[in-house]
């Protein structure tokens, strides 16, 4: 129990010190080891740990107020889930025996940094007969290099291999 | 032949308008088991599945590959698959074995093995198993909110009424595709006006739908379809990898989502590989599990005409719902598209899910008259409300729909129509007139609504997307018009998307924005005296008991 509290404190300190305003820049793996260990009893985060939940720029959840939105002081990008929150929810899911959900949320955490339009294009590229093998590998590189998204990068590599084997690449239809 | 009078009368009964066909294994017109279904098998070498249901790894198709890679809990797989299907089936209905104990075994099975387990159960046993295996302790249901004119005031009013009646999720779609953003906004506003915490979706093409969510016009998505054969999956314009990626895209924007699948889709799309509907559906369920998606809408859904035509078809449909729950997935259990002209069969259709209780018994129930349901009609609609509520009262079952009074309906419908009127004004959309608000308040179908200039609406919808309008503008519009409580509710919904609690399995919000999911409302059924019992949920039971049309015998003069 005490080590859990320590982890939480460490996490909060790290968030306070380190995540000033640019959390979306390197979203994926920077704070994984410092994410607190959460279980079912920490759920829902909104009621139990609102302090741990941050906006993409690192603001505390409760610091984003109704009035600020009405006054047009909040960029709508601030009304989004942050990678650290997705990883916390992933831990809660895994703790409840749902490791696949955690995997999904880890991919999602990586994708928070990809702009909407580019994300929709990436999804389109994975649809059957849309992309050459090289197209998919190029996106894999983009994910790894530009968005620090190694898991999603791998996802595209895996798709490239499997699409080649099962004839889902551009021109295969 | 001289006609026998009784047979002549029977032929005139509505059930004779329904479709019935004999089984045909090679075309997949078979519910539970086809002669072409593979026998279950599994080989694990160095932590890698090298044989799955009769196929060696080198012979895997794309779906096998995906399931073998991600869909099966490998650590327990050899042990679980070595158990007899009958012994696993017995665990499913044994009240002494908890849900989590069963799930440890069932999440490690192969698709063919899970199908074989379902084949051991009769309909009554499936009900017993569903009661225990649904992830969320408290059952709910979901409604469709549509109309054939895409009238925004009517969408908002119907949404608000459904919200007040207890549906925690509402789903719209369009009659005219380009109305999508207007329908999404109208439903969200109507729902929050009706009962804060109700979440909404707008079912349209995959990429468009995600775009609506990104702007904050919707809170979840459900019609992300997956299929059981490689050919049909490709015809559906996706692969397991694209759908798995799409799942992560949704989560990355804090949006809840579930996949959708259902028996009969492969028959309708023409490539069954001669496999049974249950076996093909098992593959869809495993694709969902493999993707790390928290739930699935299944139970044939819009393909119900196919399984309902063959022997044991509706048993199969409950069976596939159960299999979804065995994989520890949220189950929105269909009872969706209309399939029968017979009121008796309509009731039969939902009996299993209704009695057992599921995460969402219907997905959805028509929250408008079926003539306005642009999902092609649902098994039950608003005109069935009083029958449905009577059944809940008769059987002491919580089917997730509550009686309301006429006065309550009028008030909430008017409130929602006015709220969406304000939002349209605030966003610079074509006016919703007072006449429309009045018609939406007192009307029942789009026939009761004044006609809008649909060309202007469609232009405005495109313009709204081009202008980059988001949920912040909606909050502002409501606030500017002094509609404080709905503005606050839309704001709170936006806050919840930052927090992500409702991305967990089977999550909904109550009226105070408490997130209720399989994490904090875990189904703990273990026989009589345990699990959810509606009479222990005293407020809910009181509302179900107090149908407005029941007489008070103490106040009746005999």
């Amino acid at each position: 129990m005490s080590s859990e509290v320590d982890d939480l404190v460490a996490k909060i300190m790290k968030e306070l010190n380190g995540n000033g305003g640019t959390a979306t820049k390197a979203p994926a793996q920077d704070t994984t080891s410092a994410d607190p260990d959460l279980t079912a009893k920490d759920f829902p985060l909104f009621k139990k740990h609102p302090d741990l939940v941050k906006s993409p720029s690192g603001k505390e959840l409760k610091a984003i107020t109704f009035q600020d939105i009405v006054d047009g002081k909040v960029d709508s990008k601030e009304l989004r889930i942050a990678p650290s929150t997705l990883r916390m929810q992933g831990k809660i899911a895994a703790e409840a025996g749902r490791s696949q959900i955690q995997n999904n949320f880890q991919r999602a955490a990586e994708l928070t940094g990809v702009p909407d339009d580019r994300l929709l294009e990436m999804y389109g590229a994975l649809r059957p007969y849309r992309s050459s093998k090289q197209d998919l590998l190029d996106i894999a590189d983009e994910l790894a290099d530009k968005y620090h998204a190694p898991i999603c990068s791998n996802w595209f590599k895996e798709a490239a291999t499997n699409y080649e084997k099962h004839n889902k690449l551009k021109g295969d239809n | 032949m001289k006609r026998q009078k009784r047979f002549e009368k029977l032929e005139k009964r509505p059930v004779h308008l329904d479709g019935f066909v004999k089984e045909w294994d090679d075309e997949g017109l078979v519910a539970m088991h086809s002669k072409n279904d593979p026998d279950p098998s599994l080989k694990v070498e160095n932590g890698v599945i090298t044989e799955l249901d009769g196929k060696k790894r080198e012979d895997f198709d794309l779906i096998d590959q995906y399931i073998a890679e991600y869909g099966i809990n490998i650590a327990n797989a050899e042990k679980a698959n070595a158990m007899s299907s009958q012994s696993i089936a017995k665990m499913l209905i044994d009240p002494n074995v908890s849900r989590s104990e069963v799930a440890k075994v069932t999440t490690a099975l192969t698709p063919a093995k899970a199908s074989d387990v379902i084949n051991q159960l009769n309909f009554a046993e499936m009900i017993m198993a569903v009661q225990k295996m649904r992830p969320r302790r408290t059952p709910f249901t979901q409604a469709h909110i549509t109309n054939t004119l895409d009238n925004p005031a009517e969408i908002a009013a119907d949404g608000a009424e459904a919200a007040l009646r207890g549906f925690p999720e509402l789903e719209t779609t369009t009659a005219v595709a380009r109305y999508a953003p207007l329908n999404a906004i109208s439903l969200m506003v109507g729902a929050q006006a009706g009962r804060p915490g109700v979440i909404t979706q707008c079912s349209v093409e995959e990429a468009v739908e995600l775009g609506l969510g990104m702007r904050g016009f919707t809170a979840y998505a459900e019609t992300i379809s997956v299929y059981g054969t490689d050919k049909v999956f490709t015809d559906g314009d996706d692969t397991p990898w694209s759908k798995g990626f799409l799942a992560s895209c949704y989560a990355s924007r804090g949006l809840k989502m579930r996949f959708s699948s259902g028996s009969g889709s492969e028959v309708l799309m023409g490539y069954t590989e001669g496999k049974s509907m249950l076996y093909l559906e098992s593959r869809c369920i495993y694709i969902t599990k493999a993707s790390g998606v928290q739930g699935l809408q299944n139970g044939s859904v819009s393909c119900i005409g196919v399984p309902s035509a063959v022997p044991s078809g509706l048993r199969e449909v409950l069976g596939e719902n159960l299999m979804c729950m065995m994989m520890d997935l949220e189950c929105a259990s269909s009872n969706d598209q209309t399939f029968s002209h017979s009121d008796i069969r309509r009731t039969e259709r939902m009996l299993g899910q209704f009695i057992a209780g599921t995460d969402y018994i219907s997905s959805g129930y028509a929250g408008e008259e079926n003539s306005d349901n642009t999902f092609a009609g649902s098994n039950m609609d608003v005109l069935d409300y009083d029958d449905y509520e009577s059944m809940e009262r008769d059987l002491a079952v919580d089917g997730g729909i509550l009686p309301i009074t006429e006065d309550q309906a009028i008030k909430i419908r008017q409130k929602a129509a006015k709220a969406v009127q304000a939002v349209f004004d605030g966003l610079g959309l074509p006016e919703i007139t007072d006449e429309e608000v009045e018609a939406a308040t007192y009307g029942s179908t789009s026939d009761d609504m004044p006609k809008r200039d649909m060309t202007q609406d469609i232009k405005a919808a495109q313009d709204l997307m081009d202008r980059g309008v988001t949920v912040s503008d909606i909050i502002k519009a409501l606030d500017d018009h002094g509609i404080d409580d709905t503005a606050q509710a839309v704001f709170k919904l936006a806050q919840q998307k930052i927090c992500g609690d409702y991305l967990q399995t089977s999550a909904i919000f109550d009226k105070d924005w408490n997130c209720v999911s399989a994490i904090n409302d875990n189904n703990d059924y273990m026989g009589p005296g345990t699990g959810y019992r509606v009479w222990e949920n005293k407020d809910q039971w009181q509302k179900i008991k107090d149908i407005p049309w029941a007489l008070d015998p103490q106040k009746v003069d005999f």
Side-chain angles (χ1 to χ4, degrees), chain A residues 85-100:
Chain A
T85 310
L86 280 161
R87 286 195 302 267
M88 286 191 282
Q89 294 291 358
K91 281 195 177 177
I92 291 171
E95 177 72 23
R98 302 182 179 113
S99 58
Q100 286 95 343

Side-chain angles (χ1 to χ4, degrees), chain B residues 71-234:
Chain B
I72 295 169
N73 287 344
I74 293 178
N76 202 25
E78 285 177 295
K79 196 173 147 202
N81 284 283
M83 294 171 70
S84 76
S85 296
Q86 196 184 74
S87 66
I88 300 168
K90 282 185 177 172
M91 289 174 76
L92 278 166
I93 62 158
D94 182 347
N96 300 302
V97 184
S98 71
R99 178 181 190 279
S100 60
E101 285 303 305
V102 180
K104 275 182 200 149
V105 173
T106 49
T107 54
L109 301 176
T110 70
K113 182 74 171 183
S115 303
D116 197 44
V117 170
I118 296 292
N119 264 285
Q120 310 298 314
L121 299 165
N122 66 28
F123 196 75
E125 288 158 350
M126 286 179 183
I127 292 176
M128 292 284 290
V130 166
Q131 172 167 244
K132 179 168 83 181
M133 294 308 293
R134 76 165 178 269
R136 193 195 324 102
R137 188 176 191 268
T138 313
F140 282 94
T141 190
Q142 180 208 92
H144 293 157
I145 303 293
T146 63
N147 64 74
T148 52
L149 297 177
D150 291 322
N151 183 288
E154 191 184 354
I155 288 177
D158 277 333
E161 182 182 332
L164 190 65
R165 284 181 184 269
F167 294 94
E169 281 190 359
L170 302 175
E171 173 185 26
T172 191
T173 187
T174 57
V176 177
R178 284 177 293 171
Y179 260 90
L182 302 187
N183 291 14
I185 290 170
S186 304
L187 183 59
M188 179 178 71
V189 171
Q192 298 313 324
R195 194 277 268 172
V198 169
I199 58 174
T200 58
Q201 61 160 321
C202 181
S203 170
V204 285
E205 190 277 328
E206 264 85 349
V208 175
E209 186 164 352
L210 176 55
L212 294 173
M214 285 168 163
R215 287 160 182 268
F217 298 165
T218 57
Y220 79 106
E222 145 184 289
T223 44
I224 316 297
S225 302
V226 291
Y227 303 96
T229 62
D230 183 68
K231 179 82 177 100
V232 172
F233 214 122
T234 303

Side-chain angles (χ1 to χ4, degrees), chain A:
Chain A
M1 188 62 203
S2 67
S3 77
E4 270 180 48
V5 172
D6 291 346
D7 286 348
L8 277 173
V9 171
K11 166 73 183 168
I12 293 163
M13 289 310 289
K14 189 173 170 79
E15 294 278 346
L16 284 175
N17 296 333
N19 265 349
T22 54
T24 47
K25 288 279 161 27
Q29 65 281 60
D30 55 342
T31 59
T32 308
S33 57
D35 288 337
D37 287 326
L38 298 170
T39 66
K41 66 184 187 313
D42 298 301
F43 181 90
L45 293 180
F46 190 85
K47 302 268 168 181
K48 305 274 182 75
H49 297 290
D51 50 317
L52 291 179
V53 178
K54 299 287 169 14
S55 76
S57 78
K59 254 193 198 165
E60 276 205 17
L61 178 64
K62 303 266 162 132
I64 298 172
T65 65
F66 179 80
Q67 200 54 47
D68 284 347
I69 290 179
V70 167
D71 294 343
K73 289 183 188 160
V74 181
D75 187 323
S76 62
K77 297 258 184 310
E78 279 290 272
L79 300 176
R80 290 216 167 156
I81 196 162
S84 59
T85 310
L86 280 161
R87 286 195 302 267
M88 286 191 282
Q89 294 291 358
K91 281 195 177 177
I92 291 171
E95 177 72 23
R98 302 182 179 113
S99 58
Q100 286 95 343
I101 292 184
Q102 183 177 38
N103 295 341
N104 181 20
F105 291 177
Q106 283 169 345
R107 293 194 298 270
E110 293 187 343
L111 296 177
T112 52
V114 182
D116 290 356
D117 291 347
R118 186 64 190 132
L119 194 62
L120 289 169
E121 285 166 8
M122 287 178 175
Y123 162 60
L126 274 178
R127 291 179 121 172
Y129 312 135
R130 299 297 203 289
S131 304
S132 67
K133 190 177 184 189
Q134 193 55 47
D135 293 337
L136 294 173
L137 293 176
D138 288 347
I139 297 177
D141 287 345
E142 181 189 349
L143 281 163
D145 301 338
K146 191 167 176 190
Y147 299 110
H148 314 289
I151 305 170
C152 292
S153 174
N154 241 4
W155 192 262
F156 272 76
K157 284 182 196 159
E158 211 177 86
T161 306
N162 284 303
Y163 287 14
E164 183 176 41
K165 185 175 170 197
H166 295 284
N167 306 317
K168 303 296 177 196
L169 293 171
K170 191 190 264 180
D172 284 343
N173 49 332

